[in-house]
Amino acid sequence: NSVEKMIVSDERDRVVSDWIKLNVGGKHFVTSRSTLLAKEPLSMLARMFADDNNMYLMNPSVTDETGAYLIDRSPEYFEPILNYLRHGEVILDKHVNPKGVLEEAVFFGLDSMIPQLNQLIEEALSRSSNNQSLT
Amino acid sequence: NSVEKMIVSDERDRVVSDWIKLNVGGKHFVTSRSTLLAKEPLSMLARMFADDNNMYLMNPSVTDETGAYLIDRSPEYFEPILNYLRHGEVILDKHVNPKGVLEEAVFFGLDSMIPQLNQLIEEALSRSSNNQSLT
Amino acid sequence: NSVEKMIVSDERDRVVSDWIKLNVGGKHFVTSRSTLLAKEPLSMLARMFADDNNMYLMNPSVTDETGAYLIDRSPEYFEPILNYLRHGEVILDKHVNPKGVLEEAVFFGLDSMIPQLNQLIEEALSRSSNNQSLT
Amino acid sequence: NSVEKMIVSDERDRVVSDWIKLNVGGKHFVTSRSTLLAKEPLSMLARMFADDNNMYLMNPSVTDETGAYLIDRSPEYFEPILNYLRHGEVILDKHVNPKGVLEEAVFFGLDSMIPQLNQLIEEALSRSSNNQSLT
Amino acid sequence: NSVEKMIVSDERDRVVSDWIKLNVGGKHFVTSRSTLLAKEPLSMLARMFADDNNMYLMNPSVTDETGAYLIDRSPEYFEPILNYLRHGEVILDKHVNPKGVLEEAVFFGLDSMIPQLNQLIEEALSRSSNNQSLT
């Protein structure tokens, strides 16, 4: 289960290399290879960090001076994306615009997030038109 | 009491090593071993940093280049978790989604937080359905 | 399409130099040359990082000690600007003042953003006067 | 007055050492000794950084690799605490939970903040029960 | 106009030294000398970074290890202050307490901001008492 993946096992080298640093638009994120691979094997992030025998393998991007893979996208809207890969729930704070997260889900090819994000966008729209109709 | 634990005592080396750096999803946190251990001895964080004679001892994760232990979880929702370990209160800012904090409490095995977080989630739901029924 | 631009191709040197670091008011952003150029070729950012044969070419600003180009503007309001250059949508979080983003769009010469930002400003004004008239 | 304390005087060494770096829970803050001492001489921060002839003198905590004194508390809720020490006003942003700031004021022994924070907590409670009663 | 000031001219040395780093309460800001001087010549920031022939010249504060001038004030509320110096508009996000910005405007001697901030404070007060009277 999810706790195990953070333990240092005897095969220390293999485990260490399973930590992956990302530089998304200037902000650093740290995660594990299994988080990027498990949820959606055909997503861009899964393909970038997949095993060599994955037929959809993509080359990862270049890394910055700290070894973090560069990704030219919004860091703010990447946070709920990465949390979704960690635990499978779409969770947004109140002030976050779901349209911003939708753009990232589409870009990264995380198709399973899209219906939930579309629903959050509709709810926000109906709330806002309710407020209008109050006056 | 809580002030004492930050004082440099004569046994300086022991005290210094009681400060623990965590790298949660790319963000650094600093806390003390006693904060991680005191509140819930069977939680994952307590077991990672417990004394050797703790029978539930877990190996801590690997550290980054600054010596911070890597944890593949959300930094934003970790903040109220760590504050809870510091003073025992579940305190969330207005914009923070309690569902996000619940995911972390479950992951880290902080069972005593869960009833309060579930209540905050229900309150948010009833507020939102009240707003709906206004129209 | 947008995925391709992050792949390391055989011409590694060319691709690496297409990553651009910006230091906007003290905060670092990372993006790609194509993001800065594609959307509005006459904008200030496009002219600063354009090819030599662009007749509107501007000299880029000086860089800081990390190689990031210095820009004396608001980092907070630059984020939706850069996201717009990435995917073409004007997306603002709920708490962000659209007037702040408008100032940056005007400064950087991103004329296509301005009508949408003006509309967001008007909507915020009408919401606020609705609230007033409720009492 | 408050401007003077930032001027480099002829006694440069003395003034430089009056700047104090704090590492609160992983985030760095910079302030001056006089800010920490002036408002509440018996508070924990005042006693940690007081002159040697202060009879309530405490030993400061250990410092991190940048010379910042480590404090195992919430960085977010420390911000209004430090602003209070700078200018004497309790000022919270709209989204900040006053209960979080109260925990820090109690921990640091800033008794003069407590009545104002209790009032903000009561106001938030009555606002929330008003919202309930609307339905 | 404002674009020109960021161009590298032939007199490179002069232009480079016109970039100024500030460390406000622990957070780094980058701006230009002309931004600090142009709007209010008698403000504290203008006097700290003015030319030698300015009769109100103040000595700047000491710098940190990165060359940033130390200022013992709130970084959060400094952001709208610096944006005001950049473009002349008082623009606050929805969650920002205008009282916090007022404290900084008074400290830095930016008198032209004060009437607008007082108006924002009054508007927030009347909004909050309207909400009360709804119940």
Side-chain angles (χ1 to χ4, degrees):
Chain A
N1 85 349
S2 52
V3 169
E4 248 84 73
K5 76 178 169 221
M6 304 197 316
I7 310 298
V8 181
S9 68
D10 286 344
E11 320 94 316
R12 187 176 183 114
D13 287 340
R14 200 194 57 78
V15 175
V16 172
S17 70
D18 277 349
W19 287 95
I20 289 171
K21 278 201 281 184
L22 302 172
N23 178 335
V24 182
K27 186 172 176 178
H28 282 93
F29 294 87
V30 177
T31 188
S32 62
R33 189 181 302 273
S34 64
T35 291
L36 297 176
L37 297 188
K39 191 81 193 165
E40 293 219 28
L42 293 183
S43 72
M44 189 188 124
L45 288 166
R47 290 166 59 199
M48 273 172 68
F49 297 103
D51 294 328
D52 288 350
N53 53 4
N54 179 318
M55 64 175 288
Y56 298 101
L57 191 67
M58 277 172 54
N59 285 317
S61 60
V62 295
T63 57
D64 68 15
E65 66 284 2
T66 73
Y69 294 93
L70 287 163
I71 297 181
D72 180 20
R73 299 298 295 183
S74 153
E76 188 204 352
Y77 297 125
F78 185 69
E79 290 193 27
I81 296 276
L82 189 49
N83 287 339
Y84 174 77
L85 295 177
R86 286 174 176 135
H87 53 50
E89 302 293 325
V90 176
I91 297 177
L92 269 54
D93 279 349
K94 214 172 148 181
H95 63 288
V96 173
N97 192 329
K99 287 183 197 168
V101 186
L102 179 63
E103 289 287 338
E104 307 310 297
V106 170
F107 175 84
F108 288 111
L110 292 165
D111 295 346
S112 59
M113 288 188 86
I114 294 175
Q116 292 179 70
L117 289 167
N118 276 326
Q119 196 187 327
L120 288 171
I121 292 170
E122 275 173 46
E123 283 171 19
L125 270 175
S126 88
R127 245 198 316 277
S128 131
S129 67
N130 284 350
N131 284 351
Q132 293 290 96
S133 67
L134 269 173
T135 61
Chain B
N1 87 348
S2 52
V3 168
E4 247 84 74
K5 76 177 169 223
M6 303 199 318
I7 310 299
V8 181
S9 67
D10 284 345
E11 319 93 316
R12 187 176 184 116
D13 287 341
R14 200 194 58 78
V15 175
V16 171
S17 69
D18 276 349
W19 288 96
I20 288 171
K21 279 202 280 186
L22 303 171
N23 179 335
V24 182
K27 185 171 176 180
H28 283 93
F29 293 87
V30 178
T31 188
S32 62
R33 188 180 301 272
S34 64
T35 291
L36 297 176
L37 297 187
K39 191 80 192 167
E40 292 220 27
L42 293 182
S43 72
M44 188 189 126
L45 288 167
R47 289 166 60 199
M48 274 172 68
F49 298 104
D51 294 328
D52 289 349
N53 53 2
N54 181 316
M55 63 175 289
Y56 297 101
L57 192 66
M58 279 172 53
N59 284 318
S61 61
V62 294
T63 56
D64 68 15
E65 66 285 2
T66 73
Y69 294 93
L70 287 163
I71 296 181
D72 180 19
R73 298 298 296 183
S74 153
E76 188 204 353
Y77 297 125
F78 185 69
E79 290 193 26
I81 297 276
L82 189 49
N83 286 339
Y84 174 77
L85 295 177
R86 285 174 177 135
H87 53 49
E89 301 292 325
V90 177
I91 296 177
L92 269 55
D93 279 349
K94 216 172 146 181
H95 63 288
V96 173
N97 192 330
K99 286 183 197 168
V101 186
L102 179 63
E103 289 287 341
E104 307 310 296
V106 169
F107 175 83
F108 288 111
L110 292 165
D111 296 346
S112 58
M113 288 187 86
I114 294 176
Q116 292 179 70
L117 289 168
N118 276 325
Q119 197 186 325
L120 288 171
I121 292 170
E122 276 174 45
E123 284 171 18
L125 271 174
S126 88
R127 245 198 317 276
S128 131
S129 67
N130 284 350
N131 284 352
Q132 293 289 95
S133 68
L134 269 174
T135 61
Chain C
N1 86 347
S2 51
V3 169
E4 248 84 76
K5 77 178 167 218
M6 304 197 317
I7 311 298
V8 181
S9 68
D10 286 344
E11 320 93 317
R12 188 176 181 113
D13 287 340
R14 199 194 57 77
V15 174
V16 172
S17 70
D18 277 348
W19 288 95
I20 288 171
K21 278 203 280 185
L22 302 172
N23 179 335
V24 181
K27 185 171 176 181
H28 282 94
F29 294 87
V30 177
T31 188
S32 62
R33 189 180 301 273
S34 63
T35 291
L36 297 176
L37 296 188
K39 191 79 192 167
E40 291 219 28
L42 293 183
S43 72
M44 190 188 122
L45 288 167
R47 290 165 59 199
M48 274 172 67
F49 297 104
D51 294 328
D52 288 350
N53 53 4
N54 180 317
M55 64 175 288
Y56 297 101
L57 192 67
M58 277 171 55
N59 284 319
S61 61
V62 294
T63 56
D64 67 17
E65 66 285 1
T66 72
Y69 294 94
L70 287 163
I71 296 181
D72 180 19
R73 299 298 296 184
S74 155
E76 187 204 353
Y77 297 124
F78 186 69
E79 290 193 27
I81 296 275
L82 188 50
N83 286 340
Y84 174 77
L85 295 177
R86 286 175 176 134
H87 53 51
E89 301 293 324
V90 176
I91 296 177
L92 268 55
D93 279 349
K94 214 172 147 181
H95 63 289
V96 173
N97 192 331
K99 286 183 197 169
V101 186
L102 179 63
E103 290 286 339
E104 306 311 295
V106 169
F107 176 83
F108 288 111
L110 292 165
D111 295 347
S112 59
M113 289 187 86
I114 294 176
Q116 291 178 71
L117 289 167
N118 276 325
Q119 196 187 327
L120 289 170
I121 292 169
E122 275 173 46
E123 284 171 18
L125 270 175
S126 88
R127 245 197 318 276
S128 131
S129 67
N130 284 350
N131 285 352
Q132 293 289 94
S133 67
L134 269 173
T135 61
Chain D
N1 87 347
S2 52
V3 169
E4 246 85 73
K5 76 176 167 219
M6 302 198 317
I7 310 299
V8 181
S9 67
D10 285 345
E11 319 94 315
R12 189 176 181 114
D13 286 341
R14 199 193 59 77
V15 174
V16 171
S17 70
D18 276 349
W19 288 95
I20 288 171
K21 279 202 280 186
L22 303 171
N23 179 334
V24 182
K27 184 170 176 181
H28 283 93
F29 293 87
V30 178
T31 188
S32 62
R33 188 179 302 272
S34 64
T35 291
L36 298 175
L37 297 188
K39 191 79 192 166
E40 291 220 28
L42 293 182
S43 73
M44 189 189 125
L45 289 167
R47 289 166 60 201
M48 274 173 68
F49 298 104
D51 295 327
D52 289 350
N53 53 3
N54 180 318
M55 64 176 289
Y56 297 102
L57 192 65
M58 278 171 56
N59 284 319
S61 61
V62 295
T63 56
D64 67 16
E65 66 284 3
T66 73
Y69 294 94
L70 288 163
I71 296 180
D72 180 18
R73 298 298 298 181
S74 154
E76 187 205 353
Y77 297 125
F78 186 69
E79 290 194 25
I81 297 276
L82 189 50
N83 286 340
Y84 174 76
L85 295 177
R86 285 173 177 137
H87 53 49
E89 302 292 324
V90 176
I91 296 177
L92 268 55
D93 279 350
K94 215 172 146 181
H95 63 289
V96 173
N97 192 329
K99 286 182 198 169
V101 186
L102 178 63
E103 290 286 340
E104 306 311 295
V106 169
F107 175 83
F108 289 112
L110 292 166
D111 296 346
S112 59
M113 288 187 86
I114 293 174
Q116 292 179 69
L117 289 167
N118 276 325
Q119 197 187 326
L120 288 170
I121 292 169
E122 276 174 43
E123 284 171 18
L125 271 174
S126 86
R127 246 198 316 277
S128 131
S129 67
N130 284 350
N131 285 352
Q132 293 289 94
S133 67
L134 269 173
T135 63
Chain E
N1 89 346
S2 52
V3 169
E4 247 85 74
K5 75 176 168 220
M6 302 198 318
I7 311 298
V8 181
S9 67
D10 285 346
E11 318 95 316
R12 189 175 181 114
D13 287 341
R14 200 192 58 76
V15 174
V16 172
S17 70
D18 276 348
W19 289 94
I20 288 171
K21 279 202 280 186
L22 303 171
N23 179 335
V24 181
K27 184 170 177 181
H28 282 94
F29 293 87
V30 177
T31 188
S32 62
R33 189 180 301 274
S34 64
T35 291
L36 297 176
L37 297 188
K39 191 78 190 168
E40 291 220 28
L42 293 182
S43 73
M44 190 188 123
L45 288 167
R47 289 165 59 200
M48 275 173 67
F49 297 103
D51 295 327
D52 288 350
N53 53 4
N54 180 317
M55 64 174 289
Y56 297 101
L57 192 66
M58 278 171 57
N59 284 319
S61 61
V62 295
T63 57
D64 67 16
E65 66 284 2
T66 73
Y69 293 95
L70 288 163
I71 296 181
D72 180 18
R73 299 297 297 183
S74 156
E76 187 205 353
Y77 297 124
F78 186 69
E79 289 193 26
I81 296 276
L82 189 49
N83 286 340
Y84 174 76
L85 295 178
R86 285 173 177 135
H87 53 49
E89 301 293 324
V90 176
I91 296 177
L92 268 54
D93 279 349
K94 215 172 145 182
H95 63 291
V96 174
N97 192 330
K99 285 183 199 169
V101 185
L102 179 63
E103 289 287 339
E104 306 312 295
V106 169
F107 175 83
F108 289 111
L110 293 166
D111 296 345
S112 59
M113 288 187 87
I114 293 175
Q116 291 179 70
L117 289 167
N118 276 324
Q119 196 187 328
L120 289 170
I121 292 169
E122 277 174 43
E123 284 171 19
L125 271 174
S126 87
R127 246 198 317 275
S128 132
S129 67
N130 285 350
N131 285 352
Q132 293 290 94
S133 66
L134 269 172
T135 62

